[in-house]
Amino acid sequence: MKVEHTIEINAPAETVWAVTADINNWPDWTPTVEKATRQDEGPFRIGSHARMQQPGMPEAIWTVIEMDEGQSFAWETHMRGIHFTATHHTVATETGCTNTLGLELKSVLAFLLWPLAKRQALKTLETENKGLKEFCERKAPA
């Protein structure tokens, strides 16, 4: 079960990527994350992990499993018997970039809960993308 949300951002892809990769500061631009703390040092890369607290969810450790530096990454966590994979993908355009967020849930429990969870998952991705857009467009040079 998977949902995606794409948004146009009038800011350079490099700006959007830098904000996205700065995990510790996610609470500054999205209400979908209450607390985020990288659990490792150095560049954000495959194997990097962060402790995340999101509204209504138990605290979770997310681990990067795929990375295309400057463009996309995927990370995963397990909680409440469900395997979550989230994707972040930024593509440069003539006027800035597009940013696509995805969330995939796997397990029997996820299958059973999907009719209820799908709407909330999509709303969360949309809220996160809108916050990223507003934050990056304020940061971008005029």
Side-chain angles (χ1 to χ4, degrees):
M1 283 78 34
K2 184 174 183 177
V3 291
E4 286 188 339
H5 182 268
T6 300
I7 198 166
E8 296 283 333
I9 300 178
N10 296 316
E14 298 80 14
T15 298
V16 174
W17 177 259
V19 170
T20 299
D22 186 7
I23 305 302
N24 291 340
N25 289 313
W26 281 22
D28 294 346
W29 55 265
T30 181
T32 64
V33 176
E34 295 172 339
K35 185 178 175 185
T37 309
R38 281 271 309 270
Q39 301 295 290
D40 58 306
E41 296 183 16
F44 190 55
R45 62 191 181 282
I46 292 176
S48 289
H49 44 282
R51 182 177 301 275
M52 305 281 283
Q53 179 63 57
Q54 296 180 271
M57 300 291 286
E59 193 171 75
I61 301 288
W62 287 83
T63 302
V64 177
I65 56 171
E66 295 175 19
M67 173 77 69
D68 184 358
E69 178 64 35
Q71 294 184 347
S72 66
F73 76 93
W75 58 357
E76 66 183 4
T77 194
H78 295 81
M79 67 178 102
R80 295 183 176 164
I82 300 174
H83 177 248
F84 293 81
T85 302
T87 56
H88 301 253
H89 190 76
T90 304
V91 177
T93 65
E94 289 183 18
T95 59
C97 65
T98 59
N99 195 69
T100 301
L101 301 176
L103 183 64
E104 183 174 11
L105 285 67
K106 293 180 184 175
S107 79
V108 172
L109 183 58
F111 177 79
L112 295 172
L113 294 176
W114 190 241
L116 300 172
K118 182 178 180 180
R119 181 177 296 157
Q120 183 60 44
L122 186 56
K123 181 180 175 187
T124 298
L125 296 181
E126 188 175 341
T127 299
E128 188 172 309
N129 244 346
K130 285 180 179 178
L132 181 63
K133 174 182 173 70
E134 291 170 11
F135 187 83
C136 291
E137 288 180 355
R138 282 195 311 267
K139 278 186 74 134

